[in-house]
Amino acid sequence: MKRKMISFLAALLVLTMIILPASAASSRLADEADLLSGTECAAIEKQLDELSAQYGLDVVIVTTDSTDSRTPMEYADDYFDYNNYAPDGVLLLVSMEEGDWWISTTGYGITAFTDAGIEYIGKKIVPYLSDGEYAKAFTVFAELCDQFLSQAKNGDPFDTHNLPKEPFNLFWSGLMAFFAGPAAAFFATGSMKKKLKSVAQKTQANDYVTPGSLQITQSRDFHLYTHLERREKAQSSSGGSSTHTSSSGTTHGGGGGKF
């Protein structure tokens, strides 16, 4: 009987060890504000899981109807800290309470997502959030995370000096230049031509001087004064990531705004 009890307890312990990590593992997409359809949730969560596995950190998206009297920064930091995510990661919070978005970073995420990088990402996703295109906003966020993490992996994270370049549309730019140049020249020369209608052409330079109108008897140059004005040169941002400490004592970076 005693041997059976020991065997039962051992089996229970093994089962507990198997079940607990699975139940403790948090989803990388927590759509608590119910902004997405089931199909959208599945597609975005798969995208986040693949990114997380590829780069060895957690890429998380959370939506909520309320931050429970906390700031978006505090809510995002706490959510990451208290939901069993990896020590390294990035979390996008979208709060519908007052239209806030916040990106919280920790560990290697602080290195990969600088202040300038977070601001850049925000500019890309805010138009979609404002229009209620949440699935598109989250897809763009995931795609940018892939781009930023890949760049950081190469040893030069996106920052003030090397943010991603906007795509250049050669066709439309060339078409605009082709028509804009001649049009501007036409209007400019046409305007000048109108002003010269009362002027008759003359063949000699002397014809343009009114007789007796100019009499110079003496000429001198005088230097009156010199004025030197000094202005401080604007200093460029040094880049990098600013950090703070969350309620759990963890160091986080981050940034956000309204949509």
Side-chain angles (χ1 to χ4, degrees):
M1 180 70 178
K2 186 176 180 180
R3 184 175 296 177
K4 289 183 179 180
M5 181 62 70
I6 293 174
S7 298
F8 173 76
L9 291 174
L12 182 63
L13 179 61
V14 171
L15 183 62
T16 301
M17 292 175 66
I18 294 173
I19 293 176
L20 278 181
S23 61
S26 298
S27 170
R28 295 187 176 95
L29 174 62
D31 184 22
E32 298 174 358
D34 197 24
L35 304 180
L36 305 171
S37 68
T39 303
E40 290 170 338
C41 279
I44 293 170
E45 186 168 11
K46 179 183 178 182
Q47 194 175 13
L48 298 178
D49 289 343
E50 290 174 350
L51 276 176
S52 301
Q54 180 180 352
Y55 293 103
L57 78 174
D58 277 322
V59 182
V60 182
I61 296 175
V62 177
T63 73
T64 184
D65 287 318
S66 173
T67 58
D68 301 325
S69 301
R70 285 172 284 178
T71 66
M73 180 188 78
E74 292 169 342
Y75 190 94
D77 291 347
D78 288 347
Y79 197 98
F80 195 94
D81 293 343
Y82 296 113
N83 281 281
N84 302 297
Y85 293 115
D88 306 289
V90 56
L91 180 148
L92 169 63
L93 169 70
V94 173
S95 172
M96 304 304 293
E97 189 172 20
E98 294 186 13
D100 292 293
W101 67 270
W102 187 269
I103 293 176
S104 173
T105 58
T106 188
Y108 184 69
I110 297 174
T111 300
F113 299 89
T114 63
D115 292 347
I118 290 173
E119 183 179 357
Y120 176 90
I121 293 173
K123 289 179 180 179
K124 295 299 181 183
I125 64 174
V126 162
Y128 297 113
L129 294 175
S130 300
D131 291 342
E133 297 182 50
Y134 304 111
K136 179 63 175 178
F138 300 154
T139 299
V140 169
F141 171 73
E143 291 171 349
L144 287 171
C145 283
D146 188 7
Q147 189 176 355
F148 272 64
L149 289 167
S150 176
Q151 178 72 17
K153 189 177 180 180
N154 293 331
D156 187 22
F158 284 127
D159 206 342
T160 53
H161 67 287
N162 66 339
L163 289 173
K165 303 296 183 183
E166 297 298 329
F168 180 74
N169 193 315
L170 184 61
F171 174 77
W172 287 110
S173 298
L175 193 63
M176 289 180 63
F178 180 80
F179 287 106
F186 174 79
F187 286 111
T189 56
S191 175
M192 290 186 289
K193 186 177 179 181
K194 287 180 180 179
K195 296 178 181 179
L196 296 175
K197 283 185 176 180
S198 61
V199 180
Q201 183 178 3
K202 296 183 181 294
T203 58
Q204 299 295 326
N206 291 335
D207 294 336
Y208 290 93
V209 179
T210 302
S213 64
L214 179 64
Q215 295 181 357
I216 300 176
T217 58
Q218 190 176 12
S219 175
R220 292 183 182 180
D221 291 329
F222 293 94
H223 179 74
L224 300 178
Y225 60 87
T226 299
H227 175 69
L228 179 63
E229 183 177 354
R230 298 181 182 274
R231 293 186 179 181
E232 183 179 358
K233 184 178 179 180
Q235 300 296 319
S236 60
S237 172
S238 58
S241 299
S242 55
T243 59
H244 57 274
T245 304
S246 66
S247 65
S248 69
T250 303
T251 299
H252 285 270
K258 298 285 186 179
F259 64 87

